[in-house]
Amino acid sequence: MNFPQHTWLLALLLATQTAAAQPVSLPGYDPAAAEAQRALEARFDTALKEADYRGWLKQWSSGPNHVGSPHNLANARDLEARLRSFGWETRIEQFEVLWPSPKTSRLELLGAKPYLARLKEPPLPGDSTSSQTEGVLPPYVIYGGDGDVTADLVYVNYGIAEDYEALARNGVDVRGKIVIARYGKGWRGLKPRLAQEHGAIGAIIYSDPRDDGYFQDLPYPDGPARNQWSVQRGSVANFALYPGDPLTPGVGATAGAKRLKLEQAGSVLKIPTLPISWGDAQPLLAALRGPVAPEDWRGALPITYRIGGDGSARVHLKVEADWGSQTLYNVIATLRGSDYPEQWVIRGNHRDGWVFGAADPLSGTTALLAEAKAIGELARQGQRPRRTLVYASWDGEEAGLLGSTEWAEQHADELRRKAVLYVNTDGNGRGFLNAGGSHALQRLINGVAADLRDPDSGVSVLERQRARARIDALAPAAKPAQKDVAKKLAAGGDVPLKALGSGSDYSPFLQHLGLATLDLGYGGQGGSSGVYHSLYDSYDYFARFVDPDFSYLPLLSQTVGRTVLRVANAPVLPQRFGDFADADAVAGYAQEIKQQADADRESARNQDELLAAGAYPAVSNPNRPLLAPVAKPAVPVIDFAPLDQAIARLQASAKRYDEALVAHGAGLSGDVRDKLNTSLQRIDQTLLVQTGLPGRPWYRNLIYAPGLATGYEVKTLPGIREALEDRRWDDLRRYIGQTATVLDAYREAIDRNTTLIEPG
Ligand SMILES: [Zn+2]
């Protein structure tokens, strides 16, 4: 250790001591209430026992845990019994959902060097559960089509939109063909969907060693990376249209619910799709001829990557499922609040996995149960939370957020009236806190992160986040947005929350019901991507490569426990509206979109000029010829003034509220506080529009949505942003107006609250 580092540690130590003497204030609390809350949290921490996490994870991940498996149901019953023994009221809520189970999977390369794909993950030494075969789901993707097709193979890289533009320039068409795409970049279901839209009749998705295999690290069991025969299962349902049971959009899938016919279910894909390992993909890819793949399309297999589509590789793909139904079991546990039983803080994690699911999702489930145990003990000792807690173990997340979506739809009215917050977690790793959600809760989460110690570094969770963001912003490849954040952090600003798209159970609460929502988890230091959705996401893997000393699971409990308890006990609910209105969120998103419109206009104009001047043939390489691209539609000048004005008003109102709460929050009468809390509880619902987003009415939130063309990835101000991206000018104008209207409604609610607080 050198001297400067020593000084730095000393400075850090002093800073930590100062922080301990003068902790960051808790939003919504006066100093006395904050002190009592922190004492409660210290008692919460002492109830977290490392042995619990290990024992539960080992037990729950000892058998296959997909929807409908006996072991998943046994885990539901085990969770219910434990929650009840911790003093919670419990029930299991069931739903009946469409559930295709794999029946036939066959993939073969025809021709001179035939190859029959294995489609199997073998047992591995040192991975004790991998020798189980009974009841294990074979590699498949759920909600793909049935089919038996034979056709030419085409390699489409990640199979996202820009890859099809490159294919067209290479003169390759996928109509009537079978595509092979690698996992990564876009969401899984997008790959077969885009293939289907471009006329392909079948799709194969494989894991290239470049993305999560030997190019990254030693393959499992020698190291954490994906091995030759490991396959990523998953859902290809189009949940960007609507998540949940494909047959019951918008309503709970109870036994008597009205159901669509399968042909009407817009979220179900039509073409047969199969996920495979790189071991099975290599012979297929090696057989392709045709154009050499562009440089950034090449993976890490020892072959020349080619596009094919010229008759060089014919494959036979057969996929069939039993299109039956299954019962979902959501475990719901309630701890009634002492003062405000009709205000609910909800916290969930899913329980179903593709196979054993040790990391995804059971690691997060251990954190959930440990919190419930600790909070139950506090309640028994007379320290019951003031608001009601609802803890949920969701079933069927992997297939498309089924359990959480059906529950949210079934209880929509009650949730609109009572829910204060939904907090989500999923599989947990080691590393940095990833926090996303409703931006008015940014201060809350920064406060939680400031109070927790990171096990690896010894600094606070917040200090570690801040250090990483500032260091990353110094890298040559850092984006301007990263540099902006770093500058704000250097000046003492908060770590921004991420905006949420989709990919876990928060979506129905945030984007359908408009509830304040958070998604929390640790990761980024190696971990589980090498076994993601495979047979090998096991206890043995978790204990070797994800979190060997089980220190980040108690940390997750501490993080979520504090978040839940701070909101449940807050004298005034902890929103700080400036964080939502300003550059970290809404104002920043609007700025991005306007810059995008300018950049798109410029590039469409430039491309037009180049096309007209014959510039593309002029640079074409005769050895690897490329066709000219299709002209892009011109981008008109767009009037963003209604949006800009609404945001400016919102920023002014948010500032006034935030300042009024700091100045007068401690002295409010009980009556005023109650009125204020009732308003704050529902305020996020003003951000919804009842008719939803174009073509997808289930998604009603005009601030956050998953991208219709990107899947998991968020589109902020989605009505406006996607209209610009898709060149729908009428929608663009309409959603500028609608987004301004919801921001005005939100701002008016803030103003009414400010009037309540400011002394008359
Ligand atoms: Zn998960």
Side-chain angles (χ1 to χ4, degrees):
M1 188 181 281
N2 60 26
F3 182 73
Q5 204 168 2
H6 181 77
T7 320
W8 178 77
L9 276 175
L10 191 68
L12 190 78
L13 190 69
L14 291 170
T16 314
Q17 281 167 350
T18 320
Q22 261 184 334
V24 181
S25 70
L26 300 192
Y29 285 77
D30 60 51
E35 203 184 314
Q37 177 66 19
R38 282 208 168 85
L40 176 82
E41 292 167 2
R43 295 182 60 196
F44 168 89
D45 289 349
T46 60
L48 305 174
K49 301 282 180 280
E50 193 204 291
D52 281 345
Y53 297 90
R54 288 181 192 269
W56 295 334
L57 191 65
K58 186 149 207 175
Q59 179 192 333
W60 295 337
S61 64
S62 63
N65 286 317
H66 56 274
V67 165
S69 72
H71 197 262
N72 180 21
L73 179 57
N75 285 348
R77 301 226 186 281
D78 182 63
L79 268 162
E80 190 195 18
R82 289 183 196 274
L83 286 159
R84 189 175 299 149
S85 77
F86 301 153
W88 295 62
E89 287 168 43
T90 61
R91 62 184 188 278
I92 292 187
E93 287 193 42
Q94 302 183 15
F95 295 99
E96 301 297 318
V97 297
L98 177 71
W99 189 269
S101 305
K103 192 164 70 178
T104 314
S105 300
R106 187 178 175 90
L107 173 64
E108 57 195 318
L109 175 68
L110 308 172
K113 277 196 197 165
Y115 175 76
L116 179 64
R118 292 166 59 150
L119 312 179
K120 275 205 177 70
E121 299 175 294
L124 295 178
D127 187 278
S128 60
T129 45
S130 66
S131 58
Q132 288 188 39
T133 47
E134 174 101 8
V136 167
L137 276 179
Y140 89 125
V141 289
I142 192 166
Y143 303 126
D146 279 357
D148 185 349
V149 292
T150 300
D152 262 6
L153 190 65
V154 182
Y155 176 55
V156 296
N157 191 29
Y158 291 110
I160 59 179
E162 65 196 53
D163 295 326
Y164 283 90
E165 286 171 26
L167 280 175
R169 295 201 59 197
N170 277 281
V172 177
D173 186 335
V174 303
R175 268 177 295 179
K177 302 196 172 122
I178 296 171
V179 305
I180 181 164
R182 56 172 162 156
Y183 268 118
K185 286 245 171 116
W187 161 69
R188 173 189 321 105
L190 192 64
K191 301 163 192 279
R193 184 158 302 275
L194 280 174
Q196 176 180 302
E197 283 169 12
H198 285 86
I201 58 172
I204 300 161
I205 316 174
Y206 82 102
S207 301
D208 195 284
R210 184 175 201 109
D211 299 300
D212 63 4
Y214 59 68
F215 193 78
Q216 303 292 337
D217 208 327
L218 283 176
Y220 190 56
D222 302 318
R226 193 176 292 274
N227 67 43
Q228 185 174 10
W229 302 111
S230 167
V231 183
Q232 181 189 139
R233 293 159 185 75
S235 176
V236 293
N238 188 3
F239 56 69
L241 204 56
Y242 59 90
D245 174 28
L247 302 185
T248 61
V251 298
T254 52
K258 210 168 153 236
R259 285 175 161 73
L260 301 176
K261 294 200 180 72
L262 179 56
E263 313 81 77
Q264 299 169 306
S267 63
V268 176
L269 190 79
K270 302 279 188 276
I271 63 172
T273 302
L274 194 65
I276 64 173
S277 63
W278 71 254
D280 276 336
Q282 185 169 353
L284 277 59
L285 292 167
L288 292 172
R289 292 292 171 267
V292 171
E295 187 162 347
D296 56 355
W297 285 38
R298 300 172 201 162
L301 291 171
I303 58 170
T304 303
Y305 283 72
R306 290 176 181 271
I307 295 177
D310 58 344
S312 50
R314 260 183 105 63
V315 295
H316 172 217
L317 170 68
K318 184 175 181 190
V319 179
E320 276 180 327
D322 274 320
W323 289 81
S325 63
Q326 277 294 354
T327 306
L328 301 179
Y329 301 92
N330 289 334
V331 182
I332 308 292
T334 306
L335 193 69
R336 194 179 154 82
S338 57
D339 297 359
Y340 306 106
E342 299 300 294
Q343 295 180 6
W344 296 357
V345 178
I346 306 157
R347 184 263 189 270
N349 194 106
H350 73 100
R351 191 187 65 254
D352 64 300
W354 278 116
V355 190
F356 304 109
D360 178 11
L362 295 171
S363 59
T365 303
T366 64
L368 177 148
L369 189 61
E371 291 153 41
K373 183 180 178 186
I375 294 168
E377 273 172 33
L378 291 173
R380 238 192 312 254
Q381 296 159 8
Q383 290 195 290
R384 184 171 275 270
R386 300 178 69 199
R387 295 183 174 84
T388 292
L389 303 188
V390 180
Y391 266 47
S393 165
W394 309 120
D395 203 354
E397 187 268 357
E398 293 294 3
L401 324 180
L402 304 188
S404 55
T405 300
E406 297 313 320
W407 190 81
E409 290 172 345
Q410 180 68 18
H411 298 280
D413 289 337
E414 197 174 14
L415 289 169
R416 285 185 195 108
R417 278 183 282 120
K418 298 181 178 172
V420 171
L421 172 68
Y422 174 72
V423 184
N424 190 68
T425 61
D426 202 320
N428 195 64
R430 278 185 93 81
F432 298 84
L433 175 62
N434 293 312
S438 308
H439 282 83
L441 300 175
Q442 188 163 291
R443 186 91 267 262
L444 170 75
I445 294 303
N446 273 261
V448 168
D451 283 358
L452 292 172
R453 191 181 147 278
D454 171 69
D456 275 343
S457 62
V459 304
S460 80
V461 166
L462 184 68
E463 241 3 88
R464 199 164 194 233
Q465 284 180 303
R466 298 171 68 90
R468 181 178 64 165
R470 292 184 61 189
I471 290 167
D472 286 355
L474 294 177
K479 300 201 174 95
Q482 279 178 288
K483 293 183 183 173
D484 287 349
V485 168
K487 204 180 290 175
K488 265 182 265 172
L489 292 177
D494 281 344
V495 174
L497 286 182
K498 291 185 181 118
L500 293 178
S502 187
S504 195
D505 291 303
Y506 51 78
S507 177
F509 301 97
L510 176 65
Q511 293 147 354
H512 189 60
L513 297 179
L515 309 180
T517 298
L518 290 166
D519 184 52
L520 303 172
Y522 288 84
Q525 276 178 212
S528 58
S529 68
V531 293
Y532 176 64
H533 290 185
S534 79
L535 179 72
Y536 312 115
D537 181 357
S538 63
Y539 181 87
D540 290 335
Y541 182 97
F542 190 90
R544 278 185 67 196
F545 295 115
V546 181
D547 191 3
D549 62 5
F550 282 72
S551 56
Y552 279 77
L553 292 177
L555 181 63
L556 182 65
S557 291
Q558 289 182 301
T559 310
V560 178
R562 270 169 182 65
T563 303
V564 161
L565 290 172
R566 284 182 190 186
V567 173
N569 293 334
V572 175
L573 290 173
Q575 287 100 329
R576 195 170 72 167
F577 293 109
D579 296 329
F580 174 77
D582 294 342
D584 280 348
V586 172
Y589 306 148
Q591 190 59 27
E592 258 169 40
I593 291 175
K594 286 189 287 181
Q595 286 169 351
Q596 189 65 49
D598 291 342
D600 287 357
R601 187 176 308 111
E602 174 87 8
S603 81
R605 199 186 296 138
N606 274 327
Q607 201 191 50
D608 260 6
E609 272 175 35
L610 293 166
L611 283 167
Y616 287 93
V619 300
S620 184
N621 174 354
N623 299 321
R624 294 194 178 165
L626 285 183
L627 303 172
V630 178
K632 294 200 165 79
V635 178
V637 173
I638 300 150
D639 180 13
F640 286 102
L643 181 68
D644 289 340
Q645 289 157 7
I647 292 172
R649 289 190 292 265
L650 173 63
Q651 287 180 298
S653 290
K655 185 163 187 283
R656 205 174 122 210
Y657 173 89
D658 293 342
E659 287 171 0
L661 188 65
V662 169
H664 310 295
L668 300 177
S669 73
D671 181 48
V672 166
R673 263 208 314 253
D674 287 352
K675 276 191 195 146
L676 183 58
N677 283 327
T678 303
S679 165
L680 292 173
Q681 175 189 344
R682 297 179 189 174
I683 191 165
D684 285 37
Q685 294 175 48
T686 58
L687 299 169
L688 304 188
V689 61
Q690 288 316 304
T691 47
L693 294 172
R696 44 177 183 155
W698 190 92
Y699 285 95
R700 297 172 175 163
N701 194 315
L702 290 188
I703 310 301
Y704 312 106
L708 189 55
T710 55
Y712 290 160
E713 192 195 313
V714 68
K715 295 287 174 182
T716 52
L717 309 182
I720 303 171
R721 191 185 294 269
E722 290 191 324
L724 173 67
E725 288 172 354
D726 303 343
R727 308 291 195 253
R728 290 181 272 110
W729 310 125
D730 286 347
D731 280 342
L732 180 60
R733 278 182 280 271
R734 191 161 75 243
Y735 279 87
I736 286 173
Q738 290 195 353
T739 306
T741 303
V742 302
L743 289 174
D744 274 336
Y746 186 82
R747 189 253 312 155
E748 282 160 16
I750 293 174
D751 287 343
R752 286 194 294 275
N753 294 333
T754 311
T755 311
L756 279 173
I757 300 174
E758 283 178 341

